[in-house]
Amino acid sequence: MKVTVKSWTGVATWRWIANDDNCGICRMPFDSCCPDCKLPGDDCPLVWGACSHCFHIHCIVKWLHSQPQQQCPMCRQDWKFNNK
Amino acid sequence: MQVMSLKPRNVDFQEMWASLKETVAGVVALQAVERGVWNTRFSDVYALCVAHPEPLADRLYDETRNFLEEHVGGLLQRVQRSAPLESSDYNDGLLSRYVSAWHEYSQGVAYLNSLYSYLNLQHVKRQKVSDAEIIYGSSATVSCPEHDSRQLEVGELGLVTWERVLVRPLATALSSRLVAALNAARDSSPDPSTADTLRSAIHSTVHVQAFRVRAPLSLYVELVLEPFLAAASAHHSRRAAHLLAEGDVSHFMKYVLDGLERELSLARRFLHSSSIEAVRACYEQACVEAHLPALHADIERLLKEASAGSIERQDDLRRMYALLKPLGANAMRPLVDAAHQQAVRDGIALLDAEHPKDEAHSHFVQAMLSLHHKYSELFSDVFGGAQPFVGALDKACSAVVNRRWSGESCARAPELVARYCDALLRRRAADAEADDKLAAAIVVFKYVDDKDVFQKHYARALARRLIHQLSASMEQEEAMINRLKAACGYEFTNKLHRMFTDVAVSADLNAKFQQHLRDNNLTTNSGFFIQVLQAGAWPLGGAMAPLAPPAQLERPARLFEAFYRASFSGRRLAWLHHLCTGELRTKYTQRMYHLSGTTPQCALLLMFENADVVSAREARETLQVSEEAWSRHVKPLLDAGLLTAKGDLRLESPENDEGELALNLSFTCKRTRIKLTCAAAPPNQGTGTNSGTSSGETAHCDDDRKMYLQAALVRIMKQRKVLRHTELIQEVVSQARGSFAPSVAMIKKCIEALIDKQYLERAPGTLDTYSYLA
């Protein structure tokens, strides 16, 4: 061995894996939080539906509470949380 | 002694008045009156007032008035004697005779008032109008009691008679003598008896009308104050002109201030206490206001010399301020403006002073601090820290801080202050004063207009410090962010706080990952530490093009990725290889060296495992480093002597590179730890612009500002619905001030943009009003 690795400090960034840049309900970018929160990150996570649409959890919960039927606001399929 | 009867009875007025008059004459002339006689006369007054069949009070009153007039007429003769009325010779005895007559008479009348108590109480009081009626007026009382035929209390009657019969004829004589005496007293203090006479004479004019409800000082004003002020004003003007003619402004101010002090003490000593302000105003009018141009002309010179440390000039300025302050804001303005300009001039000179190029940031901050310190001391010392001067200093500091050097598109202040903070925060050597210096830097920071630009610079420096663990102490970092928060609010430091949180979360994550490895009997073969950052919060530029790391490095990275995916669903990791650092040990050299460098650098070194020479192009393609980043990573290795170039090595155009890289097997270095640097990538990586960091930062900031302004405009309009142009601009400017000073042109552009986007419209029928479109 000419050179051995003693240690390595990695730096990485994370972002949401989403099929869109903005939340379809509040129109805020997913990198940012929903209008009710101040800090993005773990306090304002995203959720995915079975229909593959994705929203801020606060936004979709508020939407579902205000609707008689539990439908995805984007595709009108029945809303199911996708716990992948 | 006659037994007193309270019963009304018949009295002979002539007889009773004759004996009463005799006593009255005695009382008024302050002659001794026996108690028995006094008591009898007291009852006589009562008897006359309640006489049967007709009360004789009115008659008694009239007779008494006639008597007093006659008596005062006699006194007039006594006072005036042969003194000429037009003279103003205050030593001719008239004043002292007047005062002695006044003392005697005023005292006598006071006694007389007691003798006539019954008349005063029962007869006069009933006719007297109440104070309220006098002040607020009523249908019955149109004029003052002293001018109508209503009866007065006997004491008051005496004073009115004195004024009418004695003072009026002597008015000019008294007035001219009093004024002359006061003038003389200004230059040399009179002997006590003369001073007493003068004071008594002056105050007699107050006492004579003291009982009046309306304008109780009118006689005093007419006889003493007005003539005195007229004479004083002429005197002061002459003296001021004389002072200016014989010396410079410092000399003038010194004597004028002394004169003011003397004038006030003269007023306090002799005049009624209400006149002091009038005397002061008269003095200032004649001495200062008339010569304002002369005073203002020298301000600039005085300030220059005072700021250079001249104690005398500082005293001069203190006097200048004392003289100008009472004259109000207009007289002060030239002084305030000059103070502002002096501070600006001085500040620019300080900033332009010679300094080493790489110390520009600390030179800048320290120059500003010394400027601020110097002038706030000077102004608080000389001007008592008066608000206008504090404001002038603030304006001056902000003008100097935000000054643009010729040829620069934006002020350098934000960058310099941020670099200053960076240098202090990353300093390894313990700097005990770092905390104080950082706190002081906030003073300068507050004057920076482009706070948003500062924030960008600061955030990038903070990111570097956090990722490479260069911070001197985390407490210090946090304290600094809190200071910024206190100065600019939560929004401003929001991202900085998030960066902090990420570092803490990463530490936690590393612990969990190590636990995960242990639980699953996995190992990374080498030390492994990772920082996972939120993409939006860190000013790091985009992720690098995918790197194909060597197996030694890839394994831990893949392990971690798997772990991360399992822990957090819905998140994608992107490696920032140019920020990762690896530590390597060399085995091929005589001594063992510890190298630390970026991932591509480590990977490149690891490629020499099986060969001593590697083709440059091949190496780049294996590692999949982008062309643009290639030279930045390889150059430090060549510079350090770890690698040597062979053949035609062209780092700048790697596509046509036919050169080779060779491992320097005979590498030696004095130090055993070698840190390989890597130049920071330009912020807008990938766009290909290679302009300097500053202008790139500015362009970035401009976009942010436009967004900020548009958001502010919409917020304001949403709330107000309809607003005029100027008011809208004002509101936007006041909202934006916290982070930058927007130009009106930029705001106008944003308004246009919002009209295009149909957020706003020009209100129909008006030229300068906008309305909000919901």
Side-chain angles (χ1 to χ4, degrees), chain B residues 485-498:
Chain B
K485 186 157 118 186
C488 278
Y490 174 77
E491 290 285 323
F492 188 79
T493 52
N494 193 352
K495 283 193 173 175
L496 307 182
H497 273 298
R498 274 155 64 184

Side-chain angles (χ1 to χ4, degrees), chain B residues 373-425:
Chain B
H373 180 71
K374 174 174 163 189
Y375 280 92
S376 48
E377 288 251 295
L378 181 68
F379 289 173
S380 81
D381 186 28
V382 173
F383 304 127
Q387 211 286 319
F389 294 96
V390 176
L393 177 60
D394 280 348
K395 263 199 223 128
C397 283
S398 117
V400 175
V401 166
N402 296 300
R403 186 175 73 119
R404 292 172 187 197
W405 273 261
S406 51
E408 285 178 10
S409 61
C410 58
R412 294 183 63 208
E415 189 192 340
L416 291 174
V417 178
R419 264 171 62 196
Y420 181 77
C421 298
D422 185 42
L424 283 172
L425 285 166

Side-chain angles (χ1 to χ4, degrees), chain A residues 2 7 9-10 13 15 42, chain B residues 529 571-572 574 581 587 612:
Chain A
K2 281 179 181 157
S7 72
T9 305
T13 55
R15 55 176 79 239
D42 297 353
Chain B
F529 185 82
R571 295 183 182 191
R572 186 169 50 217
T581 48
K587 296 273 174 85
D612 289 344

Side-chain angles (χ1 to χ4, degrees), chain B residues 312-352:
Chain B
E312 272 174 53
R313 295 292 91 87
Q314 290 181 10
D315 287 343
D316 282 345
L317 281 177
R318 209 167 286 134
R319 287 190 198 107
M320 174 84 76
Y321 177 61
L323 287 177
L324 294 182
K325 191 182 169 202
L327 297 184
N330 275 334
M332 284 256 283
R333 186 153 306 128
L335 185 57
V336 175
D337 289 349
H340 168 80
Q341 277 154 16
Q342 171 62 29
V344 170
R345 256 199 313 277
D346 208 357
I348 290 177
L350 270 174
L351 288 191
D352 285 348

Side-chain angles (χ1 to χ4, degrees), chain B residues 539-553:
Chain B
L540 296 174
M544 254 179 66
L547 176 84
Q552 291 97 315
L553 297 182

Side-chain angles (χ1 to χ4, degrees), chain B residues 89 109 131-132 151-152 202 237 241 262 336 409 429 442 467 483 576 580 585 592 645 696 710 750:
Chain B
D89 176 8
V109 161
D131 286 355
Q151 292 176 351
L152 299 166
I202 289 171
S237 298
R262 260 183 296 142
V336 175
S409 61
I442 290 287
I467 291 175
R483 286 192 200 106
L576 300 176
C580 303
R585 255 180 287 204
M592 188 168 70
Q710 291 189 8
C750 292

